[in-house]
Amino acid sequence: MGDPQSTYSPLQEMGGTLTRRSMLRAFAAGAVLTTGGLTLSGCQKDSGAGGGSADVTLKIGGVPNADPYPVMPSADKRKKDANAKGYAEALQGWFKQNPGVKLTHINADIQDTEALVASVGGGTAPDLFIGNVLGSWGSGNIRNAFVQGLAADITELAEKYLFGRKLNPVVKPAWDFWQLDGKRYGLPYEYSGAGQGLYYRRDFLSEAGISDIPFDRTWTWQRVREIAKATTSGKRKGIALVNWNYWAFLSANAHGLLTDVPAPDTTWNWRADFTTHADTWVRAVELFRGMVFDDESVRTDITFDDGQANAAFTRAEVGMWMGNPAALVHSPNDPEAAKFVSPTGKPYEEIVGWIPLPFGETGFYDGTARYGNAMISFRPDAEDDVLDKAVNLHTYMMGPGLTTQMKVINEETKDLRNVYGGYVGGSMIPTNTMIPVFAESLEDLPGSAEEAWGKEIVDAYSAGTKLNPTPPQEQFFPAEESPGPSGTASDDAINRWAFERKVSDIRAELAKLEQTVNKTNDGFTSSIDDEVFVESARRYYAALDKVWQQEAPDFHAQVYAPWYAEKVRPAVG
């Protein structure tokens, strides 16, 4: 669940909000912004349907030959790289349908939030970019960025090109979620819907006498602890955890939902409550501290990152690590795959498993991942014809373009794992073929994911999509027009509990944290009208009440229903 206290946005660094195209144009008239020494303007090379002047030029940013959508690959690259050859054929097909259009690459960092926001504000942004970056990949911050005018309203163009009607049904919840007050500011380009989970090694499980891990309500963090301890041997640890992973122990039991109480009588409309369910949070913290300091089954450090955790797993130095299922499938000639250590000699596909994050003590789970997807957004001050062609390009590449590229890759490599695993170098069409955005791809792509990887891998990859979605808070409340409080105090606390051996009283620290967060909240004012907030809260919590009765009856009866009656209803009526 989203944390209303953690609504910090890099937009705060801009010293205000940008809400109108005229403001963007006015800003663009000033000095060209640079970030980290990288100039956010300036052409490098072009591609188009032919020579001569172009009627429309689309500015493409990011790393050359990587981010959406690169200019035409060189002839030399097309000869050496099936991915580049396939993309070139896809792009040429689009050019034929759109004569007079040219792509030109500009130097613009579209992966860094601060740099992207600065380039949008300075009028130097590419015409299309990954919209999630505007909000550091946090759904609340992304929605705030959209409301603040940092991406173009492409509602009419999405309808013009029938984007919504072409969707794979699995993607529909995310499509509905990202509509803000009837408007659209981004179009899906990659979807997993599975959220985060744990990778595990079957060879280590077998060695410890564990057959496999069933995905049912017995799958809890206590079970993770047992497996991690059983598979720890010598220098090998049972699991690798990075600092943000420790939040999962608390969120499994609805931290973020139960710790944020609506408070329309305050300026920020929310207050923190870490004491009502303090017993639950203390158990969660003591569980992971027990793994780290008592069992010594965790490879961890405050500087440890996801890449290092994955690498340790690959080298057989740990038995589990946390991530989304993307790494479950990989190209057979991926250099990283060659580094995989298999003490038994079995191939990667027979050893590695993936399972969604554990359920809570009473069956709670976070089904909001079903609403998440990566999006392409568009420059808010782009001319109408530029915006039209940019949306047209993305729509084409999600359908015929993707099919063209993948057919070429399959013909060149004779291996479907390259189609359903991301060809080495990264697909130049940024999408997930395991769960394609458009329904037509389910029929048009060569072969199938199951032919490529086998049923076991495919079932694991899609396991998270089998959970029924749970209502995200953002779907009910208007986006905040101004940045809110950061989650720094909470992050500091989780780091202390995870990495400092001497912690005297977790319950007392939770109470102190509650006071700190609420004091911070008092310094912010919500842009949401009180009556709107109250009505939004009523609908949101009533929707959750229905969902948990059906999806997690024990959680509903023992936790949610009493809390709803005692904490929420008195606040919102």
Side-chain angles (χ1 to χ4, degrees):
M1 293 294 171
D3 183 351
Q5 273 73 45
S6 303
T7 52
Y8 171 80
S9 165
L11 305 176
Q12 194 166 8
E13 302 296 328
M14 300 297 293
T17 60
L18 303 171
T19 58
R20 297 184 303 277
R21 181 176 296 191
S22 59
M23 284 188 68
L24 288 163
R25 291 193 182 279
F27 197 2
V32 175
L33 296 176
T34 62
T35 300
L38 176 63
T39 302
L40 297 174
S41 65
C43 296
Q44 285 194 335
K45 63 179 182 177
D46 305 334
S47 64
S53 61
D55 298 324
V56 176
T57 298
L58 300 184
K59 294 181 293 184
I60 305 298
V63 179
N65 302 319
D67 284 319
Y69 288 97
V71 299
M72 186 68 73
S74 68
D76 182 62
K77 187 172 181 61
R78 296 198 297 269
K79 289 180 181 179
K80 299 177 180 178
D81 186 347
N83 179 30
K85 181 179 180 181
Y87 175 74
E89 291 194 18
L91 187 58
Q92 193 61 45
W94 183 75
F95 280 140
K96 288 180 180 179
Q97 294 184 13
N98 294 272
V101 181
K102 181 173 69 174
L103 305 187
T104 184
H105 182 83
I106 65 172
N107 291 323
D109 187 347
I110 63 173
Q111 296 291 350
D112 178 79
T113 296
E114 186 175 341
L116 180 58
V117 169
S119 67
V120 171
T124 59
D127 292 316
L128 65 167
F129 47 83
I130 302 170
N132 307 68
V133 176
L134 290 171
S136 300
W137 293 88
S139 60
N141 290 337
I142 296 167
R143 291 166 73 90
N144 293 347
F146 287 167
V147 169
Q148 292 168 24
L150 295 182
D153 177 357
I154 41 82
T155 310
E156 293 182 2
L157 290 173
E159 181 61 31
K160 175 181 177 179
Y161 292 113
L162 306 177
F163 203 97
R165 303 184 195 184
K166 299 177 180 180
L167 289 176
N168 178 346
V170 177
V171 184
K172 190 65 165 53
W175 174 255
D176 293 338
F177 173 69
W178 284 105
Q179 186 172 20
L180 281 68
D181 295 326
K183 297 181 180 180
R184 296 198 178 279
Y185 301 91
L187 298 174
Y189 80 84
E190 187 169 54
Y191 179 81
S192 71
Q196 298 294 323
L198 290 177
Y199 287 86
Y200 62 93
R201 298 186 60 125
R202 293 188 176 90
D203 50 352
F204 294 174
L205 294 184
S206 178
E207 181 184 305
I210 303 169
S211 57
D212 207 346
I213 306 174
F215 183 48
D216 55 29
R217 292 307 201 268
T218 65
W219 175 233
T220 63
W221 279 106
Q222 177 60 39
R223 181 59 179 149
V224 173
R225 179 179 185 177
E226 294 166 359
I227 293 172
K229 186 175 182 179
T231 54
T232 295
S233 177
K235 293 183 178 180
R236 187 184 78 202
K237 299 295 185 181
I239 191 170
L241 294 172
V242 305
N243 58 356
W244 68 268
N245 295 164
Y246 291 102
W247 277 116
F249 290 76
L250 284 82
S251 60
N253 292 294
H255 187 283
L257 168 62
L258 302 175
T259 53
D260 301 317
V261 179
D265 56 334
T266 65
T267 59
W268 185 239
N269 286 333
W270 298 94
R271 65 176 180 84
D273 177 10
F274 299 137
T275 53
T276 297
H277 295 95
D279 289 348
T280 300
W281 316 137
V282 169
R283 282 196 302 273
V285 173
E286 289 180 341
L287 194 155
F288 69 65
R289 285 179 58 79
M291 294 173 66
V292 173
F293 299 112
D294 298 335
D295 304 346
E296 297 185 343
S297 62
V298 184
R299 180 169 181 176
T300 191
D301 184 86
I302 197 167
T303 62
F304 202 44
D305 61 30
D306 296 316
Q308 291 171 310
N310 187 2
F313 182 83
T314 296
R315 294 191 299 263
E317 295 171 355
V318 299
M320 292 181 283
W321 75 283
M322 188 186 299
N324 65 45
L328 193 59
V329 294
H330 58 278
S331 299
N333 56 347
D334 185 341
E336 293 302 312
K339 299 177 183 178
F340 185 75
V341 175
S342 173
T344 62
K346 292 183 177 180
Y348 176 94
E349 298 89 275
E350 294 183 24
I351 290 178
V352 177
W354 185 90
I355 186 170
L357 289 180
F359 293 94
E361 296 172 340
T362 54
F364 174 85
Y365 69 91
D366 184 357
T368 59
R370 288 289 306 279
Y371 299 90
N373 66 264
M375 294 171 289
I376 297 296
S377 292
F378 305 85
R379 182 166 59 91
D381 57 343
E383 294 76 9
D384 290 343
D385 55 350
V386 170
L387 198 56
D388 183 285
K389 292 302 181 183
V391 172
N392 182 290
L393 172 63
H394 178 55
T395 305
Y396 180 88
M397 289 301 187
M398 290 295 95
L402 177 66
T403 300
T404 297
Q405 185 186 24
M406 293 305 161
K407 284 183 175 179
V408 171
I409 288 175
N410 188 49
E411 291 168 0
E412 294 287 317
T413 66
K414 311 299 183 188
D415 193 330
L416 283 171
R417 290 176 296 174
N418 289 316
V419 174
Y420 295 94
Y423 190 78
V424 172
S427 173
M428 291 185 177
I429 297 178
T431 194
N432 173 16
T433 50
M434 293 291 288
I435 308 177
V437 170
F438 282 174
E440 65 190 64
S441 301
L442 298 171
E443 300 294 333
D444 295 344
L445 288 173
S448 68
E450 194 164 314
E451 288 179 67
W453 295 105
K455 187 176 186 301
E456 196 166 44
I457 289 285
V458 172
D459 286 348
Y461 192 100
S462 60
T465 66
K466 302 300 188 293
L467 291 170
N468 285 329
T470 55
Q473 185 186 89
E474 296 89 347
Q475 197 169 32
F476 294 82
F477 293 85
E480 289 287 350
E481 296 177 2
S482 301
S486 73
T488 303
S490 296
D491 288 339
D492 289 345
I494 204 78
N495 284 337
R496 170 171 160 73
W497 298 330
F499 302 113
E500 294 184 19
R501 181 178 290 273
K502 294 183 179 180
V503 175
S504 58
D505 191 338
I506 297 169
R507 189 181 302 273
E509 291 193 11
L510 282 165
K512 184 178 180 180
L513 177 62
E514 178 182 305
Q515 294 176 358
T516 300
V517 172
N518 283 329
K519 184 177 180 179
T520 301
N521 290 354
D522 289 341
F524 290 81
T525 300
S526 173
S527 63
I528 304 173
D529 178 80
D530 285 348
E531 291 184 4
V532 173
F533 176 85
V534 168
E535 179 57 30
S536 298
R538 287 172 179 166
R539 291 188 296 108
Y540 171 56
Y541 291 107
L544 286 177
D545 190 52
K546 292 180 180 178
V547 166
W548 296 129
Q549 286 185 59
Q550 179 177 344
E551 300 298 331
D554 289 344
F555 169 72
H556 180 267
Q558 299 174 35
V559 181
Y560 185 82
W563 176 78
Y564 182 35
E566 296 169 13
K567 297 292 182 179
V568 176
R569 281 182 169 166
V572 300

